[in-house]
């Protein structure tokens, strides 16, 4: 999609780091994003928002491939196996597809591969990360059958085989990737940081890694501007209030009566709050309009269902307060 | 004062064309007759003993280098290489057995280090002197790793050569031995061969950087991997432009521009390919994707459900996609043909250049 205002900003939402193992060349999400970026470049976008909110991860290879679209060459992250061996995961291709300003949007449900990607972007200072602290999953697992014969397999074990670290040797396991720009949301509900930090065993690796980050840019002015906008925003204010209210109600939920009516009386107000919360995050605006790129418009003109979906998506994107704030942040960063 | 004769080839630049060419630095000592004067005789004996195999190494090395340039027989080239390895092995054994005068092992240590480094490089056993983990981190495949390891190994040899030169000077000064430079015929030929190989290697590496990058690009194209294709295209353009600038600053060798000009032609091809041809190929791949999606939507409708306008739009897209496919095929064919011609020419020019300039 294109957010067309005083700046033309591209917008891509990635729901997962999927890959198609069974197809030749294993095409996947990174290749799809690359194709979309090429189509957006034909429309001369000036910046790009890559939305990884609620993206629970998937293929690590896709995360590396995606990072490679924005990073010229070099290491991306470190992987330590259960025998202590540390390997370097590198950008699989030299060169980049996109060099202009980039904003990665994340939230507390952005996990695993989403976090590796966001961390790599931060390590290289290739773009800015906005949103709330990510989930904090920096491990990978494999599923193994417990029985030897394939015909007999009924039970499996999920084994953690690797832990991952950024280029500074630190892991985001349990902590998440911290955004450069914080956007208020329900992340405060879990009190994850306070609860977990005391129990987390510090993990780090030592490995000499050589890479070339982009120049350091001072973001303080842009951060202050974002905070001011959020403070003045009805949408973010409402989200803040609802988060507090939801948090208070959840703290009172030590015991839940399972009798039908009592259960309904306890949970229904939470549902109402959750619905208010969901709608609070959408507000109309007149700063930019949302359209599809020409490539997609052509397809849409031949596909009624696709046209309907796109119409709905455009409306949702136009009213999403997090995308709106990301648009403003990117504008501010471009002015730095 | 005692004297020992030192050929000027000792001061040649490091040669990178063949791994063995780096060895040319060693050939400092075609010792002449020492002037026997005082008791530094024992120190001089040390120097001569440690360099007992220098002349043999020099002539075996020259024979090997000449065979790579002038012989078309791989068995003969290999035989020369094995002979050289054997000579260096014997030189190491011999040097290890020398009992240093006065317990002063500085010069012996420097000679042994240099000989061992040379031997490691001749055997291409780079892992013994180079951090291969670091090489792996910086490389994208085995060929890149090999060339990077070779480059780092030659740097190690250069360091060992500098240490050797310093140790030799110090040893000579300490024991009142005069070092006299001389130019034997073998030394002169080795120096010339070294210059040729240095020049050749410099141009080869500039060319190779883009050549390898194009291989990655072609691999991505074969896999229909648009992401890798575009990334590698961008990098190929960078490398080709960088290489063209470097080549244009390199003069012909001994009035022979053939090698440089062939590399220039290659890089101009890569530049044009990256700038103009590959975008055409990528456009088709995106067009093909668009067509597939439209086709699926179109075929999901029955004839009765399709409007006249939709049919017209679909037919237009079919025509556009077919036209793009024709251009895609023509572009690919043209690139393959040009590439083939340039590669053949490059191989011929390389062989002819070495044959012409490496002394017999």
């Amino acid at each position: 999609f294109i957010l067309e205002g005083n700046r033309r900003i591209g917008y891509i939402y990635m729901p997962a780091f999927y890959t198609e193992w069974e197809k030749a060349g294993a095409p996947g999400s990174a290749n799809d994003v690359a194709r979309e970026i090429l189509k957006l470049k034909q429309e001369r976008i000036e910046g790009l928002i890559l939305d990884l909110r609620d993206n629970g991860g998937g293929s690590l290879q896709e995360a590396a491939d995606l990072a490679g679209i924005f990073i010229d060459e070099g290491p991306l992250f470190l992987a330590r196996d259960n025998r202590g061996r540390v390997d370097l995961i590198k950008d699989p291709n030299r060169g980049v597809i996109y060099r202009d300003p980039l904003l990665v949007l994340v939230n507390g449900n952005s996990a695993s591969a989403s976090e590796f990607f966001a961390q790599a972007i931060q390590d290289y200072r290739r773009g800015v990360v906005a949103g709330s602290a990510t989930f904090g999953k920096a491990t990978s697992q494999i599923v193994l059958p417990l029985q030897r014969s394939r015909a007999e397999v009924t039970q499996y074990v999920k084994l953690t085989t690797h832990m991952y670290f950024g280029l500074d040797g630190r892991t985001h396991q349990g902590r998440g990737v911290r955004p450069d720009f914080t956007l208020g949301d329900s992340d405060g509900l879990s009190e994850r940081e306070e609860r977990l930090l005391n129990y987390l065993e510090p993990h780090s690796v030592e490995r000499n890694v050589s890479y070339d980050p982009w120049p350091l840019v001072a973001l303080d002015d842009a951060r202050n501007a974002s905070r001011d906008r959020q403070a003045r925003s009805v949408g973010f204010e409402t989200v803040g209030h609802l988060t507090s209210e939801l948090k208070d109600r959840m703290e009172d939920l030590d015991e839940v009566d399972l009798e039908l009516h009592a259960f309904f009386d306890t949970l229904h107000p939470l549902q109402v709050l959750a619905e208010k919360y969901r709608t609070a995050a959408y507000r109309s605006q007149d700063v930019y309009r949302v359209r599809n790129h020409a490539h997609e418009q052509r397809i849409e003109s031949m596909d009624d269902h696709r046209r309907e979906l796109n119409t709905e998506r455009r409306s949702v994107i136009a009213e999403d307060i997090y995308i709106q704030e990301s648009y403003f942040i990117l504008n501010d960063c471009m002015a730095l | 004062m005692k004297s020992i004769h030192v050929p000027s080839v000792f001061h040649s630049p490091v040669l990178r064309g063949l791994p063995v060419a780096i060895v040319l630095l060693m050939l400092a000592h075609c010792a002449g007759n020492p002037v026997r004067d005082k008791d530094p005789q024992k120190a001089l004996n040390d120097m001569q003993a440690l360099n007992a195999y220098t002349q043999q190494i020099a002539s075996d090395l020259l024979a090997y280098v000449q065979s790579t340039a002038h012989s078309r027989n791989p068995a003969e080239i290999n035989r020369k290489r094995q002979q050289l390895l054997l000579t260096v092995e014997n030189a190491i054994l011999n040097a290890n057995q020398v009992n240093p005068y006065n317990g002063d092992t500085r010069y012996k240590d420097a000679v042994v280090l240099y000989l061992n480094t040379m031997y490691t490089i001749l055997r291409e056993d780079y892992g013994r002197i180079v951090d291969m983990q670091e090489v792996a981190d910086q490389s994208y495949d085995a060929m890149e790793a090999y060339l990077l390891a070779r480059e780092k190994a030659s740097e190690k040899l250069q360091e060992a050569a500098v240490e050797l030169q310093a140790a030799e000077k110090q040893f000579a000064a300490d024991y009142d031995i005069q070092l006299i430079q001389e130019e034997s015929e073998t030394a002169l030929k080795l120096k010339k061969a070294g210059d040729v190989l240095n020049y050749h290697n410099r141009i080869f590496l500039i060319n190779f950087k883009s050549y390898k990058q194009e291989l990655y690009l072609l691999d991505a194209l074969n896999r229909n991997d648009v992401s890798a294709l575009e990334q590698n295209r961008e990098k190929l353009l960078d490398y080709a432009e960088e290489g063209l600038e470097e080549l244009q600053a390199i003069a012909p060798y001994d009035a022979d521009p053939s090698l440089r000009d062939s590399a220039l032609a290659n890089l101009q091809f890569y530049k044009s390919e990256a700038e103009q041809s590959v975008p055409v190929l990528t456009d088709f791949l995106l067009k093909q994707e668009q067509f597939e999606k439209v086709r699926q939507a179109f075929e999901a409708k029955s004839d009765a459900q399709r409007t006249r306008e939709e049919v017209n739009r679909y037919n237009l897209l079919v025509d556009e996609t077919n036209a793009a496919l024709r251009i895609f095929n023509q572009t690919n064919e043209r690139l393959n043909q040009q590439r083939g011609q340039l590669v053949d020419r490059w191989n011929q020019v390389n062989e002819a250049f070495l044959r012409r300039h490496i002394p017999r």
Side-chain angles (χ1 to χ4, degrees):
Chain A
F1 294 90
I2 296 173
L3 314 182
E4 198 125 45
N6 65 326
R7 298 267 198 193
R8 189 175 293 161
I9 305 288
Y11 170 82
I12 296 174
Y13 177 63
M14 254 188 99
F17 283 81
Y18 54 86
T19 190
E20 294 175 78
W21 302 105
E22 65 281 359
K23 281 196 182 166
S29 44
N31 216 322
D32 289 347
V33 169
R35 286 168 179 260
E36 291 308 304
I37 290 175
L38 288 173
K39 294 164 197 168
L40 288 169
K41 278 175 72 172
Q42 285 174 355
E43 308 248 5
R44 306 207 190 292
I45 55 166
E46 298 164 79
L48 178 69
I49 298 169
L50 187 59
D51 190 349
L52 300 181
R53 289 177 296 168
D54 302 324
N55 181 330
S59 162
L60 201 61
Q61 184 58 52
E62 291 294 332
D65 289 349
L66 185 69
I69 289 172
F70 307 99
I71 292 166
D72 190 2
E73 64 177 299
L76 297 173
F77 37 89
L78 302 165
R80 187 181 69 194
D81 68 15
N82 51 7
R83 281 167 290 185
R85 183 180 125 155
V86 179
D87 284 325
L88 197 62
I89 311 298
K90 294 192 295 199
D91 176 2
N93 293 291
R94 290 193 176 96
V96 298
I97 296 178
Y98 185 74
R99 288 188 182 278
D100 290 326
L102 171 70
L103 183 146
V104 180
L105 188 53
V106 295
N107 65 7
N109 292 328
S110 306
S112 195
S114 302
E115 296 176 283
F116 300 136
F117 172 76
Q119 183 69 65
I121 294 297
Q122 275 191 332
D123 286 343
Y124 274 85
R125 299 184 206 132
R126 172 54 193 87
V128 296
V129 177
S132 47
T134 60
F135 188 82
K137 180 177 181 287
T139 56
S140 64
Q141 290 74 33
I142 55 170
V143 175
L144 296 170
L146 288 176
Q147 290 90 353
R148 283 183 189 275
S149 150
R150 272 195 184 179
E152 290 173 357
V153 172
T154 54
Q155 293 168 315
Y156 300 85
V157 63
K158 198 174 197 182
L159 201 63
T160 296
T161 56
H162 288 82
M163 182 174 263
Y164 298 92
F165 302 81
L167 298 179
D168 61 359
R170 295 189 306 165
T171 183
H172 57 259
Q173 177 68 20
R175 292 181 176 78
V177 173
R178 302 286 143 157
D180 302 300
F181 291 83
T182 301
L183 305 185
D185 66 4
S186 62
D187 186 52
L189 271 178
S190 66
E191 294 176 335
R192 171 178 40 164
E193 192 165 333
E194 292 82 10
R195 278 193 293 112
L196 287 182
L197 280 182
N198 293 332
Y199 302 104
L200 285 175
E201 193 181 315
H203 281 281
S204 64
V205 290
E206 284 199 23
R207 167 86 187 253
N208 276 339
V209 175
S210 167
Y211 64 104
D212 280 324
W214 284 39
L216 188 61
V217 175
L219 297 174
D220 294 332
D221 288 348
R223 275 196 198 104
N224 290 338
S226 178
R227 263 187 232 117
D228 289 345
R229 278 193 300 269
Q230 290 182 64
R232 292 193 307 267
S233 155
V234 172
F236 279 104
E237 192 189 353
T238 309
V239 163
H241 288 150
L242 289 171
T243 301
S244 297
E245 197 180 333
L246 207 49
K247 190 173 160 188
D248 291 338
R249 284 185 180 268
M250 282 171 68
E251 275 169 3
D252 293 338
L253 281 179
D254 282 340
E255 287 180 357
V256 177
D257 190 337
L258 294 179
E259 192 279 320
L260 183 62
H261 295 291
F263 184 77
F264 181 84
D265 290 342
T266 307
L267 269 300
H268 182 65
L270 290 174
Q271 267 183 311
V272 169
L273 259 181
E275 181 56 27
K276 279 187 191 171
Y277 183 91
R278 198 190 66 74
T279 53
Y282 294 89
R283 298 259 153 188
S284 60
Q285 49 81 23
D286 56 6
V287 175
Y288 54 79
R289 69 179 188 93
V290 180
R291 65 172 178 86
N292 292 95
H293 51 60
H295 205 267
E296 176 65 21
Q297 284 172 13
R298 191 114 185 238
I299 300 170
E300 188 187 90
S301 72
M302 300 290 290
D303 187 335
D304 301 332
H305 177 62
R306 199 174 181 107
R307 192 163 47 246
E308 270 177 48
L309 277 176
N310 277 339
T311 304
E312 191 192 326
R313 281 179 193 147
R314 285 194 297 268
S315 161
V316 165
I317 290 166
E319 295 184 351
D320 186 321
I321 61 173
Y322 295 94
I323 298 174
Q324 287 168 20
E325 183 53 29
S326 299
Y327 178 91
F328 293 129
I329 291 170
L330 210 44
N331 262 263
D332 291 344
C333 289
M334 283 193 259
L336 291 174
Chain B
M1 175 182 278
K2 303 285 181 191
S3 297
I4 187 165
H5 292 248
V6 179
S8 64
V9 71
F10 185 74
H11 304 290
S12 290
V14 172
L15 301 162
R16 298 181 181 196
L18 292 169
V20 67
I22 297 158
V23 162
L24 292 174
L25 268 178
M26 170 59 187
L27 304 171
H29 311 292
C30 297
N33 295 319
V35 173
R36 293 176 181 268
D37 188 345
K38 312 178 208 177
D39 199 15
Q41 181 58 49
K42 287 190 176 172
L44 183 64
N45 288 347
D46 265 6
M47 287 189 96
Q48 288 177 325
L50 285 166
N51 291 288
Y53 279 83
T54 304
Q55 271 183 313
Q56 191 58 48
I57 291 174
S59 54
D60 287 352
L61 175 60
L62 182 61
Y64 174 49
V65 170
Q66 285 169 332
S67 72
T68 59
H70 301 293
S71 169
R72 293 181 196 275
N73 183 347
E76 188 194 332
I77 296 171
N78 190 48
R79 220 176 16 254
K80 301 285 183 193
R81 180 169 174 270
Q82 294 305 323
Q83 179 56 55
L84 175 59
L85 277 169
L86 186 60
T87 305
V88 174
E89 267 175 37
N90 289 335
I92 293 171
L93 282 169
N94 169 69
N96 277 326
Q97 282 164 10
V98 167
N99 240 335
Y101 167 64
N102 227 10
D104 185 350
T105 62
R106 289 171 298 155
Y107 183 53
K108 175 182 170 177
D109 289 346
V111 169
V112 167
L113 172 66
Y114 190 87
L115 285 172
N116 276 314
T117 307
M118 181 201 317
Y119 187 66
T120 299
I121 289 174
L122 285 172
R123 294 188 65 224
E124 298 186 336
D125 193 6
Y126 301 129
R128 294 171 77 87
I129 54 174
V130 166
D131 181 352
M132 293 306 286
Q133 180 68 68
E134 197 185 319
V135 167
D137 285 353
Q138 293 173 36
S139 308
Y140 274 72
D141 63 23
M143 187 58 170
E144 276 193 26
Y146 167 76
L147 285 176
L148 185 59
R150 194 176 80 169
E151 192 181 319
K152 288 184 181 290
S154 77
E155 285 167 14
K156 290 284 181 193
L157 188 65
Q158 175 73 357
E159 286 166 19
V162 167
E163 270 183 50
L164 175 56
Q165 196 174 13
E168 181 184 67
K169 278 191 177 150
Q170 190 60 53
F171 190 86
D174 288 348
Y175 295 100
D176 214 19
I177 296 170
Q178 184 185 20
L179 298 175
I180 301 168
Q181 282 200 270
E182 71 169 18
E183 304 261 352
S184 70
E185 192 187 336
T186 304
L188 285 170
K189 283 187 178 179
L190 279 169
K191 183 174 191 302
K192 168 78 174 170
D195 286 345
V196 172
L197 290 170
N198 256 351
Y199 181 89
H200 175 272
N201 196 56
R202 195 175 160 202
I203 294 185
F204 174 86
L205 286 176
I206 294 171
N207 185 78
F208 183 79
K209 199 171 178 183
S210 293
Y211 165 80
K212 199 72 184 57
Q213 191 57 37
E214 201 216 15
L215 286 182
Y216 295 137
L217 182 151
L218 294 174
D219 177 61
L221 183 63
N222 286 338
R223 289 182 289 112
N224 265 6
D225 184 341
V226 169
S227 180
L229 178 62
E230 183 61 16
Q231 287 179 65
N232 285 302
R233 180 199 73 81
E234 199 242 17
K235 206 64 189 175
L236 178 61
L237 182 58
D238 273 352
Y239 283 169
E241 285 177 338
E242 188 184 288
L244 282 167
E245 211 178 299
E246 283 181 66
L247 284 173
Q248 271 147 9
I250 297 176
Y253 182 81
D254 214 9
D256 179 359
S258 61
L259 189 69
R260 184 201 63 180
D261 289 353
S262 180
L264 275 168
N266 291 344
L267 263 57
Q268 270 150 6
F269 167 76
Y270 294 136
K271 180 174 187 276
S272 153
E273 179 182 36
E275 237 172 3
Q276 287 151 22
S277 306
V278 173
V280 167
L281 304 180
T282 308
D283 280 348
F284 168 72
L285 294 176
L286 296 180
K287 193 74 179 173
Q288 186 183 46
E289 177 203 330
Q290 185 186 55
F291 174 72
E292 275 309 306
K293 288 177 179 168
V294 166
R295 186 183 62 78
Q296 279 174 25
F298 187 76
E299 288 178 359
K301 289 183 173 175
S302 65
D303 285 346
Q305 289 172 313
R306 293 172 195 150
T307 66
R308 183 79 225 148
E309 204 187 331
E310 280 174 346
V311 171
N312 289 343
R313 268 192 246 136
Y314 179 74
N315 288 336
L316 180 63
L317 188 57
V318 167
D319 290 342
E320 284 176 10
T321 308
N322 284 336
L325 177 60
R326 271 194 301 276
I327 296 174
F328 178 88
N329 288 335
Q330 283 165 4
T331 305
N332 253 331
E333 220 172 282
R334 177 178 52 78
L335 288 173
N336 288 338
Q337 201 179 28
Q338 283 179 322
R339 191 182 301 115
Q341 286 167 355
L342 286 166
V343 165
D344 286 343
R345 169 97 186 120
W346 171 250
N347 290 335
Q348 285 161 11
V349 164
N350 268 261
E351 256 183 70
F353 180 86
L354 293 173
R355 212 176 309 124
R356 193 178 305 127
H357 296 290
I358 297 276
R360 287 186 183 271

